[in-house]
Coordinates of all heavy atoms in Angstrom, one line a residue:
Y29 N -11.2 -17.6 -14.6 CA -10.0 -16.7 -14.5 C -9.2 -17.0 -15.7 O -8.7 -18.2 -15.9 CB -9.2 -16.9 -13.3 CG -8.2 -15.9 -13.0 CD1 -8.5 -14.6 -12.4 CD2 -6.9 -16.1 -13.4 CE1 -7.6 -13.7 -12.2 CE2 -6.0 -15.2 -13.2 CZ -6.3 -14.0 -12.6 OH -5.4 -13.0 -12.4
N30 N -9.0 -16.1 -16.6 CA -8.1 -16.3 -17.8 C -7.2 -15.1 -18.0 O -7.4 -14.1 -17.3 CB -9.0 -16.6 -19.0 CG -9.9 -15.5 -19.4 OD1 -9.6 -14.3 -19.4 ND2 -11.2 -15.8 -19.6
K31 N -6.3 -15.2 -19.0 CA -5.3 -14.2 -19.2 C -6.0 -12.9 -19.5 O -5.5 -11.8 -19.1 CB -4.5 -14.6 -20.3 CG -3.2 -13.8 -20.4 CD -2.3 -14.5 -21.5 CE -1.0 -13.8 -21.5 NZ 0.0 -14.5 -22.4
E32 N -7.1 -12.9 -20.2 CA -7.8 -11.6 -20.5 C -8.5 -11.0 -19.4 O -9.0 -9.9 -19.5 CB -8.7 -11.9 -21.8 CG -8.0 -12.2 -23.1 CD -7.4 -13.6 -23.1 OE1 -8.0 -14.5 -22.5 OE2 -6.3 -13.7 -23.7
S33 N -8.8 -11.7 -18.3 CA -9.5 -11.1 -17.2 C -8.8 -10.3 -16.2 O -9.4 -9.8 -15.3 CB -10.3 -12.3 -16.5 OG -9.4 -13.1 -15.8
E34 N -7.5 -10.3 -16.3 CA -6.7 -9.6 -15.3 C -6.2 -8.3 -15.9 O -6.0 -8.2 -17.1 CB -5.6 -10.4 -14.7 CG -4.6 -10.9 -15.7 CD -3.6 -10.0 -16.1 OE1 -3.2 -9.1 -15.3 OE2 -3.0 -10.0 -17.2
E35 N -6.0 -7.3 -15.0 CA -5.5 -6.0 -15.5 C -4.4 -5.5 -14.5 O -4.5 -5.8 -13.3 CB -6.6 -5.0 -15.5 CG -7.7 -5.3 -16.4 CD -8.9 -4.2 -16.3 OE1 -9.0 -3.6 -15.2 OE2 -9.6 -4.1 -17.3
L36 N -3.5 -4.8 -15.1 CA -2.4 -4.1 -14.3 C -2.3 -2.7 -14.8 O -2.1 -2.5 -16.0 CB -1.1 -4.9 -14.5 CG 0.1 -4.5 -13.7 CD1 -0.1 -4.7 -12.2 CD2 1.4 -5.2 -14.2
S37 N -2.6 -1.7 -14.0 CA -2.6 -0.4 -14.4 C -1.6 0.5 -13.6 O -1.1 0.0 -12.6 CB -4.0 0.3 -14.4 OG -4.4 0.3 -13.1
S38 N -1.5 1.7 -14.0 CA -0.5 2.6 -13.4 C 1.0 2.2 -13.7 O 1.8 2.0 -12.9 CB -0.6 2.9 -11.9 OG -1.9 3.4 -11.6
Y39 N 1.2 1.8 -15.0 CA 2.4 1.2 -15.4 C 3.1 2.1 -16.4 O 2.5 2.5 -17.3 CB 2.1 -0.1 -16.0 CG 3.3 -0.9 -16.7 CD1 4.1 -1.5 -15.8 CD2 3.5 -0.8 -18.1 CE1 5.2 -2.2 -16.4 CE2 4.5 -1.4 -18.6 CZ 5.4 -2.2 -17.7 OH 6.5 -2.8 -18.3
P40 N 4.4 2.5 -16.2 CA 5.2 2.2 -15.0 C 4.8 2.9 -13.8 O 4.1 3.9 -13.8 CB 6.6 2.6 -15.4 CG 6.5 3.5 -16.6 CD 5.1 3.2 -17.2
A41 N 5.1 2.3 -12.7 CA 4.6 2.8 -11.4 C 5.7 3.5 -10.6 O 6.9 3.3 -10.8 CB 4.0 1.7 -10.5
N42 N 5.4 4.4 -9.7 CA 6.3 4.9 -8.7 C 5.8 5.0 -7.3 O 6.5 4.9 -6.3 CB 6.8 6.3 -9.2 CG 5.7 7.3 -9.3 OD1 4.7 7.2 -8.8 ND2 6.1 8.4 -10.1
Q43 N 4.4 5.1 -7.1 CA 3.9 5.1 -5.8 C 2.9 3.9 -5.6 O 2.9 3.3 -4.5 CB 3.0 6.4 -5.5 CG 3.9 7.6 -5.5 CD 4.8 7.7 -4.4 OE1 4.5 7.4 -3.2 NE2 6.0 8.1 -4.6
Y44 N 2.2 3.5 -6.5 CA 1.3 2.4 -6.5 C 0.9 1.9 -7.8 O 1.2 2.6 -8.9 CB 0.0 2.8 -5.7 CG -0.9 3.8 -6.5 CD1 -1.9 3.4 -7.3 CD2 -0.7 5.2 -6.4 CE1 -2.6 4.3 -8.1 CE2 -1.4 6.1 -7.1 CZ -2.4 5.6 -7.9 OH -3.1 6.4 -8.7
F45 N 0.2 0.8 -7.9 CA -0.4 0.3 -9.1 C -1.7 -0.4 -8.8 O -1.8 -0.9 -7.6 CB 0.6 -0.6 -10.0 CG 0.9 -1.9 -9.3 CD1 0.2 -3.0 -9.6 CD2 2.0 -2.0 -8.5 CE1 0.6 -4.2 -9.0 CE2 2.4 -3.2 -7.9 CZ 1.6 -4.3 -8.2
N46 N -2.6 -0.5 -9.7 CA -3.8 -1.1 -9.5 C -3.8 -2.5 -10.2 O -3.3 -2.6 -11.2 CB -5.0 -0.3 -10.0 CG -5.2 1.0 -9.2 OD1 -5.2 1.0 -8.0 ND2 -5.2 2.1 -9.9
I47 N -4.4 -3.5 -9.5 CA -4.5 -4.7 -10.1 C -6.0 -5.2 -10.0 O -6.6 -5.0 -8.9 CB -3.5 -5.7 -9.5 CG1 -3.5 -7.0 -10.4 CG2 -3.8 -6.1 -8.1 CD1 -2.2 -7.8 -10.2
G48 N -6.5 -5.8 -11.1 CA -7.9 -6.2 -11.0 C -8.2 -7.4 -11.7 O -7.4 -7.9 -12.6
N49 N -9.3 -8.1 -11.4 CA -9.8 -9.3 -12.0 C -11.2 -9.0 -12.4 O -12.1 -8.9 -11.6 CB -9.6 -10.5 -11.0 CG -10.2 -11.7 -11.5 OD1 -10.8 -11.8 -12.6 ND2 -10.1 -12.8 -10.7
K50 N -11.5 -9.0 -13.7 CA -12.8 -8.7 -14.2 C -13.8 -9.6 -13.8 O -15.0 -9.3 -13.7 CB -12.7 -8.5 -15.7 CG -11.9 -7.4 -16.2 CD -11.9 -7.3 -17.7 CE -11.1 -6.2 -18.2 NZ -10.9 -6.2 -19.7
N51 N -13.4 -10.9 -13.5 CA -14.3 -12.0 -13.1 C -14.6 -11.9 -11.6 O -15.4 -12.6 -11.1 CB -13.7 -13.3 -13.5 CG -13.6 -13.5 -15.0 OD1 -14.4 -12.9 -15.7 ND2 -12.7 -14.4 -15.4
G52 N -13.9 -11.1 -10.9 CA -14.1 -11.0 -9.4 C -13.5 -12.2 -8.7 O -12.9 -13.1 -9.3
G53 N -13.7 -12.2 -7.4 CA -13.3 -13.4 -6.6 C -11.9 -13.2 -6.1 O -11.2 -12.2 -6.2
Y54 N -11.5 -14.2 -5.3 CA -10.2 -14.2 -4.6 C -9.0 -14.4 -5.5 O -9.1 -15.3 -6.4 CB -10.3 -15.2 -3.5 CG -9.0 -15.7 -2.9 CD1 -8.5 -14.9 -1.8 CD2 -8.3 -16.7 -3.4 CE1 -7.3 -15.2 -1.3 CE2 -7.0 -17.0 -2.9 CZ -6.5 -16.3 -1.8 OH -5.3 -16.6 -1.2
F55 N -7.9 -13.8 -5.3 CA -6.7 -14.1 -6.0 C -5.5 -13.6 -5.1 O -5.7 -12.8 -4.3 CB -6.6 -13.6 -7.4 CG -6.7 -12.1 -7.6 CD1 -5.6 -11.4 -7.8 CD2 -8.0 -11.5 -7.7 CE1 -5.7 -10.0 -8.0 CE2 -8.1 -10.2 -7.9 CZ -7.0 -9.4 -8.0
R56 N -4.3 -13.9 -5.4 CA -3.2 -13.5 -4.7 C -2.2 -12.9 -5.7 O -2.1 -13.3 -6.8 CB -2.5 -14.7 -4.0 CG -1.3 -14.3 -3.1 CD -0.8 -15.5 -2.3 NE 0.0 -16.3 -3.2 CZ -0.3 -17.6 -3.4 NH1 -1.4 -18.1 -2.9 NH2 0.4 -18.3 -4.2
T57 N -1.6 -11.8 -5.3 CA -0.6 -11.1 -6.0 C 0.8 -11.3 -5.4 O 0.9 -11.0 -4.2 CB -0.9 -9.6 -6.2 OG1 -2.2 -9.5 -6.8 CG2 0.1 -8.9 -7.0
E58 N 1.8 -11.7 -6.2 CA 3.2 -11.8 -5.7 C 4.1 -10.9 -6.5 O 3.9 -10.9 -7.7 CB 3.6 -13.2 -5.7 CG 2.7 -14.2 -4.9 CD 3.1 -15.6 -5.1 OE1 3.7 -16.0 -6.2 OE2 2.7 -16.4 -4.3
I59 N 5.0 -10.2 -5.8 CA 5.9 -9.4 -6.6 C 7.3 -9.9 -6.4 O 7.7 -10.2 -5.2 CB 5.9 -8.0 -6.2 CG1 4.5 -7.4 -6.5 CG2 7.0 -7.1 -6.9 CD1 4.3 -6.0 -6.0
Y60 N 8.0 -10.2 -7.4 CA 9.4 -10.8 -7.3 C 10.4 -9.8 -8.0 O 10.1 -9.1 -8.9 CB 9.5 -12.1 -8.1 CG 8.6 -13.2 -7.6 CD1 7.4 -13.4 -8.0 CD2 9.2 -14.1 -6.7 CE1 6.6 -14.4 -7.5 CE2 8.4 -15.2 -6.1 CZ 7.1 -15.3 -6.5 OH 6.3 -16.3 -6.0
N61 N 11.6 -9.8 -7.3 CA 12.6 -9.0 -8.0 C 13.3 -9.7 -9.1 O 12.9 -10.9 -9.4 CB 13.7 -8.5 -6.9 CG 14.5 -9.6 -6.3 OD1 14.5 -10.8 -6.8 ND2 15.1 -9.4 -5.2
I62 N 14.2 -9.1 -9.8 CA 14.9 -9.7 -10.9 C 15.6 -11.0 -10.6 O 15.8 -11.8 -11.5 CB 15.7 -8.6 -11.6 CG1 16.0 -9.0 -13.1 CG2 16.9 -8.3 -10.9 CD1 15.0 -8.6 -14.1
A63 N 16.0 -11.1 -9.3 CA 16.7 -12.3 -9.0 C 15.8 -13.4 -8.6 O 16.2 -14.5 -8.2 CB 17.6 -11.9 -7.7
G64 N 14.5 -13.2 -8.6 CA 13.5 -14.2 -8.4 C 13.1 -14.3 -6.9 O 12.4 -15.3 -6.5
E65 N 13.5 -13.3 -6.1 CA 13.1 -13.4 -4.7 C 11.8 -12.8 -4.5 O 11.5 -11.7 -5.1 CB 14.2 -12.6 -3.9 CG 15.6 -13.1 -4.0 CD 16.6 -12.2 -3.4 OE1 16.5 -11.0 -3.6 OE2 17.6 -12.7 -2.7
L66 N 10.9 -13.4 -3.6 CA 9.7 -12.9 -3.4 C 9.8 -11.6 -2.5 O 10.3 -11.7 -1.4 CB 8.8 -13.9 -2.6 CG 7.4 -13.5 -2.2 CD1 6.5 -13.2 -3.4 CD2 6.7 -14.6 -1.3
I67 N 9.3 -10.5 -2.9 CA 9.4 -9.2 -2.3 C 8.0 -8.9 -1.5 O 8.1 -8.3 -0.4 CB 9.7 -8.1 -3.3 CG1 10.9 -8.3 -4.1 CG2 9.7 -6.7 -2.6 CD1 12.2 -8.4 -3.2
L68 N 6.9 -9.2 -2.1 CA 5.6 -8.8 -1.5 C 4.6 -9.9 -2.0 O 4.6 -10.3 -3.1 CB 5.2 -7.5 -2.1 CG 3.8 -6.9 -1.7 CD1 3.8 -6.5 -0.2 CD2 3.4 -5.8 -2.5
S69 N 3.7 -10.2 -1.0 CA 2.6 -11.1 -1.3 C 1.3 -10.5 -0.7 O 1.4 -10.2 0.4 CB 2.9 -12.6 -0.8 OG 1.8 -13.4 -1.1
K70 N 0.3 -10.4 -1.5 CA -0.9 -9.8 -1.0 C -2.1 -10.6 -1.5 O -2.2 -10.9 -2.7 CB -1.0 -8.3 -1.5 CG -2.2 -7.6 -0.9 CD -2.3 -6.2 -1.3 CE -3.5 -5.5 -0.7 NZ -3.6 -4.1 -1.1
E71 N -3.0 -11.0 -0.6 CA -4.2 -11.7 -0.9 C -5.3 -10.6 -1.2 O -5.5 -9.7 -0.4 CB -4.7 -12.6 0.2 CG -3.6 -13.7 0.4 CD -4.0 -14.8 1.4 OE1 -5.2 -14.8 1.8 OE2 -3.2 -15.6 1.7
I72 N -6.1 -10.8 -2.3 CA -7.0 -9.9 -2.8 C -8.4 -10.6 -2.9 O -8.4 -11.6 -3.6 CB -6.6 -9.2 -4.0 CG1 -5.3 -8.5 -3.8 CG2 -7.7 -8.3 -4.6 CD1 -4.6 -8.0 -5.1
D73 N -9.5 -10.0 -2.4 CA -10.7 -10.6 -2.5 C -11.8 -9.7 -3.1 O -13.0 -9.8 -2.9 CB -11.2 -11.1 -1.2 CG -11.4 -10.0 -0.1 OD1 -11.2 -8.8 -0.5 OD2 -11.8 -10.3 1.0
S74 N -11.3 -8.8 -4.0 CA -12.2 -7.9 -4.7 C -11.8 -7.8 -6.2 O -10.9 -8.4 -6.6 CB -12.2 -6.5 -4.0 OG -10.9 -6.0 -4.2
N75 N -12.7 -7.1 -6.9 CA -12.4 -6.9 -8.3 C -11.2 -6.0 -8.6 O -10.6 -6.1 -9.6 CB -13.6 -6.3 -9.0 CG -14.8 -7.2 -9.0 OD1 -14.6 -8.4 -8.8 ND2 -16.0 -6.7 -9.3
N76 N -10.8 -5.2 -7.7 CA -9.8 -4.2 -7.9 C -9.0 -3.9 -6.6 O -9.7 -3.7 -5.6 CB -10.4 -2.9 -8.5 CG -9.4 -2.1 -9.4 OD1 -8.2 -2.5 -9.5 ND2 -9.8 -1.0 -9.9
S77 N -7.7 -3.8 -6.7 CA -7.0 -3.4 -5.4 C -5.8 -2.6 -5.8 O -5.2 -2.7 -6.8 CB -6.5 -4.7 -4.8 OG -5.8 -4.5 -3.7
R78 N -5.5 -1.6 -4.9 CA -4.3 -0.7 -5.1 C -3.3 -1.3 -4.3 O -3.4 -1.6 -3.1 CB -4.8 0.7 -4.6 CG -3.7 1.7 -4.7 CD -4.2 3.0 -4.3 NE -3.2 3.9 -4.0 CZ -3.3 5.2 -4.1 NH1 -4.5 5.7 -4.4 NH2 -2.3 6.1 -3.9
I79 N -2.1 -1.5 -4.9 CA -0.9 -2.0 -4.2 C 0.1 -0.9 -4.2 O 0.6 -0.4 -5.2 CB -0.4 -3.3 -5.0 CG1 -1.5 -4.4 -4.9 CG2 0.9 -3.8 -4.3 CD1 -1.1 -5.6 -5.6
E80 N 0.5 -0.6 -2.9 CA 1.5 0.4 -2.7 C 2.8 -0.2 -3.1 O 3.2 -1.3 -2.6 CB 1.5 0.9 -1.2 CG 0.2 1.4 -0.8 CD -0.2 2.7 -1.4 OE1 0.7 3.5 -1.7 OE2 -1.4 2.9 -1.6
C81 N 3.7 0.6 -3.8 CA 5.0 0.1 -4.2 C 6.1 1.1 -3.9 O 7.2 1.1 -4.5 CB 5.0 -0.4 -5.6 SG 4.6 0.9 -6.8
N82 N 5.7 2.2 -3.1 CA 6.7 3.2 -2.9 C 7.9 2.8 -2.0 O 8.8 3.5 -1.9 CB 6.0 4.4 -2.2 CG 5.2 4.1 -0.9 OD1 5.1 3.0 -0.6 ND2 4.7 5.1 -0.3
T83 N 7.8 1.6 -1.4 CA 8.9 1.1 -0.6 C 9.9 0.3 -1.5 O 11.0 -0.1 -1.1 CB 8.5 0.2 0.5 OG1 7.7 -0.9 0.0 CG2 7.6 1.0 1.5
L84 N 9.5 0.0 -2.8 CA 10.3 -0.8 -3.7 C 11.4 0.1 -4.4 O 11.0 1.3 -4.7 CB 9.5 -1.5 -4.7 CG 8.5 -2.5 -4.2 CD1 7.7 -3.0 -5.4 CD2 9.1 -3.6 -3.5
S85 N 12.6 -0.4 -4.5 CA 13.6 0.4 -5.2 C 13.2 0.5 -6.7 O 12.6 -0.5 -7.3 CB 15.0 -0.3 -5.1 OG 15.3 -0.4 -3.7
P86 N 13.6 1.5 -7.4 CA 13.5 1.6 -8.8 C 14.1 0.4 -9.6 O 15.1 -0.1 -9.1 CB 14.1 2.9 -9.3 CG 14.1 3.7 -8.0 CD 14.3 2.7 -6.9
G87 N 13.3 -0.1 -10.5 CA 13.9 -1.2 -11.3 C 12.8 -2.1 -11.9 O 11.5 -1.7 -11.8
M88 N 13.1 -3.3 -12.4 CA 12.1 -4.2 -13.0 C 11.8 -5.3 -12.0 O 12.6 -5.8 -11.3 CB 12.6 -4.8 -14.2 CG 11.6 -5.6 -15.0 SD 12.1 -6.0 -16.7 CE 13.3 -7.1 -16.4
Y89 N 10.4 -5.6 -12.0 CA 10.0 -6.7 -11.1 C 9.0 -7.5 -11.9 O 8.6 -7.1 -13.0 CB 9.2 -6.1 -9.9 CG 10.0 -5.2 -9.0 CD1 10.4 -3.9 -9.3 CD2 10.6 -5.8 -7.8 CE1 11.2 -3.2 -8.4 CE2 11.4 -5.1 -7.0 CZ 11.6 -3.8 -7.2 OH 12.5 -3.1 -6.4
V90 N 8.7 -8.6 -11.4 CA 7.7 -9.5 -12.0 C 6.5 -9.7 -11.0 O 6.7 -10.0 -9.9 CB 8.3 -10.9 -12.3 CG1 7.2 -11.9 -12.8 CG2 9.5 -10.8 -13.3
V91 N 5.3 -9.4 -11.5 CA 4.1 -9.6 -10.8 C 3.5 -11.0 -11.2 O 3.2 -11.2 -12.4 CB 3.1 -8.4 -11.0 CG1 1.8 -8.6 -10.3 CG2 3.7 -7.1 -10.7
C92 N 3.1 -11.7 -10.2 CA 2.5 -13.0 -10.5 C 1.1 -13.0 -9.9 O 0.9 -12.6 -8.7 CB 3.3 -14.1 -9.8 SG 2.6 -15.8 -10.0
I93 N 0.1 -13.2 -10.7 CA -1.3 -13.2 -10.2 C -1.7 -14.7 -10.1 O -1.7 -15.4 -11.1 CB -2.2 -12.5 -11.2 CG1 -1.6 -11.0 -11.3 CG2 -3.6 -12.5 -10.7 CD1 -2.2 -10.3 -12.5
V94 N -2.1 -15.2 -8.9 CA -2.4 -16.6 -8.7 C -3.8 -16.7 -8.3 O -4.4 -16.0 -7.4 CB -1.5 -17.1 -7.5 CG1 -1.8 -18.6 -7.3 CG2 0.0 -16.8 -7.7
S95 N -4.5 -17.6 -9.0 CA -5.9 -17.9 -8.8 C -6.3 -19.3 -9.3 O -5.9 -19.6 -10.4 CB -6.8 -16.8 -9.5 OG -8.2 -17.1 -9.3
D96 N -7.0 -20.0 -8.5 CA -7.4 -21.3 -8.9 C -6.3 -22.2 -9.5 O -6.4 -22.8 -10.6 CB -8.6 -21.2 -9.9 CG -9.8 -20.6 -9.3 OD1 -10.0 -20.7 -8.1 OD2 -10.5 -19.9 -10.0
S97 N -5.2 -22.2 -8.9 CA -4.0 -23.0 -9.3 C -3.4 -22.5 -10.6 O -2.7 -23.2 -11.3 CB -4.3 -24.4 -9.4 OG -4.8 -24.9 -8.1
K98 N -3.8 -21.4 -11.1 CA -3.2 -20.8 -12.3 C -2.4 -19.6 -11.9 O -2.7 -18.9 -11.0 CB -4.4 -20.4 -13.3 CG -5.2 -21.5 -13.7 CD -6.3 -21.0 -14.6 CE -7.2 -22.1 -15.0 NZ -8.4 -21.8 -15.8
K99 N -1.3 -19.4 -12.7 CA -0.4 -18.2 -12.5 C -0.3 -17.4 -13.9 O -0.1 -18.0 -14.9 CB 1.0 -18.7 -12.1 CG 0.9 -19.3 -10.7 CD 2.3 -19.7 -10.3 CE 2.3 -20.2 -8.8 NZ 3.7 -20.5 -8.4
I100 N -0.4 -16.1 -13.7 CA -0.2 -15.2 -14.8 C 1.0 -14.2 -14.4 O 0.9 -13.7 -13.3 CB -1.5 -14.5 -15.2 CG1 -2.5 -15.5 -15.6 CG2 -1.2 -13.5 -16.3 CD1 -3.9 -14.9 -15.9
F101 N 1.9 -14.1 -15.3 CA 3.1 -13.2 -15.0 C 3.0 -11.9 -15.8 O 2.7 -12.0 -17.1 CB 4.3 -13.9 -15.3 CG 4.6 -15.1 -14.3 CD1 4.1 -16.4 -14.7 CD2 5.1 -15.0 -13.2 CE1 4.2 -17.5 -13.9 CE2 5.4 -16.1 -12.2 CZ 4.8 -17.3 -12.7
R102 N 3.3 -10.8 -15.2 CA 3.4 -9.5 -15.9 C 4.6 -8.8 -15.4 O 5.1 -8.9 -14.3 CB 2.3 -8.7 -15.6 CG 0.9 -9.1 -16.1 CD 0.8 -8.9 -17.6 NE -0.4 -9.3 -18.1 CZ -0.6 -10.4 -18.9 NH1 0.4 -11.3 -19.1 NH2 -1.8 -10.7 -19.3
K103 N 5.3 -8.0 -16.3 CA 6.4 -7.2 -15.9 C 5.9 -5.9 -15.3 O 4.9 -5.3 -15.7 CB 7.2 -6.9 -17.2 CG 8.4 -6.1 -17.0 CD 9.3 -5.9 -18.3 CE 8.5 -5.2 -19.3 NZ 9.3 -4.9 -20.5
L104 N 6.7 -5.5 -14.3 CA 6.3 -4.2 -13.6 C 7.6 -3.4 -13.5 O 8.6 -3.9 -13.1 CB 5.8 -4.5 -12.2 CG 5.6 -3.3 -11.3 CD1 4.5 -2.4 -11.9 CD2 5.2 -3.7 -9.9
I105 N 7.5 -2.2 -13.9 CA 8.7 -1.2 -13.8 C 8.4 -0.2 -12.7 O 7.3 0.5 -12.8 CB 9.1 -0.6 -15.1 CG1 9.5 -1.7 -16.1 CG2 10.1 0.5 -15.0 CD1 9.7 -1.2 -17.5
I106 N 9.3 -0.1 -11.8 CA 9.1 0.9 -10.7 C 10.1 2.1 -11.0 O 11.3 1.8 -11.2 CB 9.4 0.4 -9.3 CG1 8.6 -0.8 -9.0 CG2 9.3 1.4 -8.3 CD1 7.1 -0.6 -8.9
Q107 N 9.6 3.3 -11.1 CA 10.4 4.4 -11.5 C 10.9 5.1 -10.2 O 10.4 5.1 -9.2 CB 9.7 5.5 -12.2 CG 9.2 5.0 -13.6 CD 8.5 6.0 -14.4 OE1 7.8 6.9 -13.9 NE2 8.6 5.9 -15.7

């Protein structure tokens, strides 16, 4: 699992976004608000997953992808 193996699509998002790991396998996705509070945590065991975000208020969030004790952070904008 490396920085180049993860993908975040449908960006900016308003209903959902897709997240994937080209290497496959288990990983966890966490979404934090701008204050650093954990808003959503989802465990994923496939190459690609759709994450619904229609319950999130518009604004900027941080997506953390956790796998094998490694964390990768990406900015997410909800419209």
Side-chain angles (χ1 to χ4, degrees):
Y29 191 85
N30 60 47
K31 194 172 187 175
E32 290 75 33
S33 68
E34 58 82 29
E35 298 176 336
L36 184 67
S37 63
S38 298
Y39 174 78
N42 58 20
Q43 296 294 318
Y44 68 91
F45 65 93
N46 294 312
I47 192 158
N49 178 355
K50 293 178 185 175
N51 295 333
Y54 165 87
F55 61 99
R56 186 175 72 243
T57 300
E58 299 172 341
I59 300 177
Y60 294 89
N61 65 15
I62 196 87
E65 300 169 320
L66 180 64
I67 303 298
L68 175 74
S69 181
K70 182 175 182 181
E71 295 185 11
I72 299 170
D73 61 1
S74 63
N75 291 345
N76 207 359
S77 182
R78 179 175 167 155
I79 298 180
E80 302 293 328
C81 58
N82 55 354
T83 59
L84 299 177
S85 299
M88 188 168 67
Y89 295 83
V90 175
V91 177
C92 178
I93 302 164
V94 183
S95 176
D96 298 328
S97 302
K98 296 178 185 177
K99 293 184 178 184
I100 297 172
F101 296 90
R102 293 285 184 256
K103 179 172 64 172
L104 174 66
I105 296 175
I106 304 295
Q107 293 183 334

